[in-house]
Amino acid sequence: MKEGNSQFRTEAPYRAAQGRERRVELARGQAPFCALVGCSDSRVPPELLFGRGLGELFIVRNAGNTIDTAALGSIEYGVGVLGCPLIVVLGHESCGAVAAAVEVVQRNAIFPGVIGEMIQPIIPAVLSVRRPSGEIVLDEAVAANARRVAARLKSQSPIAQEAVRANKLKIVAARYKLDDGNVEWFEDI
C-alpha cells in the first residue's frame, strides 16, 4: 500500500492488475489483500491512491469512513471469509462529514434528512480533540476519527479480534492529504 501511494504521488507508472485475463481469473473467486474503510468523497478513490487493480482491495465507503452494522459485516466478511490480512481505515483532509460533526459540536448545527444521524458516530472523535479553548482543528478530528474507527474494529469485532490474536491481521488508520496525495499512516493503533 505504501509503495503504491508513493507511485501515485510521484506519478510513476504502475501496472495495476486489470484487463481480460485478470477478469477471467477473478470470475473464479477473489482474495483481496486489504479490506479498506474509506470515505465516499469523490477525491479519495482507494484503488488510484494505492495503485491497486481489480480484486486487490475489499472496500467499504461511506461519508466519514464510519462503521455501522453493514460496514462492520462487510469488513468481517473480508477478514473472516476472504482472509484479508490487513484493514486500513482511511480518513482524508477536508472531510465534509467530519467538518459537519465539528459544526454540531461547536455551533449545535442541524442537518437535513438523515445526515445528522450519519455523523453522530464521528462526534466522539471530534470531542476527543477539542482544546480547552473550545477550538477544534479539522485535520486533528479527521485523524482521531480514523484512529477511533480502527480501534472500534479491534474492540467490537470478534472476527477481527481473533485474527489479530492469531497474527493473521493488522489494523491501521491513515489520513490522505488531498493536495500532495500523501497517505500518513497511524500504525500505533
Side-chain angles (χ1 to χ4, degrees):
M1 296 290 276
K2 290 179 179 180
E3 181 182 332
N5 180 246
S6 177
Q7 291 171 339
F8 172 76
R9 285 190 344 266
T10 61
E11 297 181 15
Y14 67 92
R15 187 159 188 249
Q18 54 190 2
R20 189 181 104 48
E21 284 183 35
R22 183 67 173 155
R23 287 192 310 270
V24 169
E25 178 186 347
L26 289 171
R28 294 187 293 268
Q30 63 174 318
F33 74 89
C34 175
L36 186 139
V37 179
C39 187
S40 298
D41 192 300
S42 64
R43 302 168 293 176
V44 189
E47 291 92 347
L48 296 178
L49 304 182
F50 297 108
R52 307 317 312 177
L54 295 173
E56 295 182 311
L57 303 179
F58 191 75
I59 300 171
V60 173
R61 289 178 78 177
N62 58 53
N65 46 273
T66 60
I67 297 289
D68 60 10
T69 302
L72 181 58
S74 297
I75 293 300
E76 288 185 337
Y77 181 83
V79 171
V81 176
L82 301 177
C84 292
L86 173 65
I87 298 173
V88 173
V89 178
L90 182 64
H92 69 90
E93 183 177 50
S94 301
C95 179
V98 177
V102 169
E103 288 296 309
V104 168
V105 169
Q106 288 188 319
R107 294 175 186 78
N108 206 23
I110 297 174
F111 295 92
V114 296
I115 297 170
E117 291 174 46
M118 177 198 67
I119 62 173
Q120 284 299 311
I122 302 170
I123 291 175
V126 170
L127 291 170
S128 76
V129 297
R130 183 168 54 182
R131 296 179 179 170
S133 66
E135 178 190 13
I136 299 168
V137 177
L138 178 58
D139 202 40
E140 291 174 7
V142 166
N145 185 52
R147 284 183 164 118
R148 184 172 184 277
V149 171
R152 267 191 75 203
L153 284 168
K154 283 186 175 180
S155 68
Q156 293 182 347
S157 168
I159 292 171
Q161 287 173 346
E162 178 54 35
V164 168
R165 271 194 298 274
N167 290 322
K168 294 181 178 181
L169 176 66
K170 183 171 185 174
I171 303 172
V172 297
R175 176 182 50 220
Y176 173 66
K177 292 184 72 180
L178 296 171
D179 55 355
D180 68 7
N182 186 50
V183 173
E184 177 184 10
W185 297 92
F186 309 121
E187 298 183 60
D188 59 329
I189 297 292

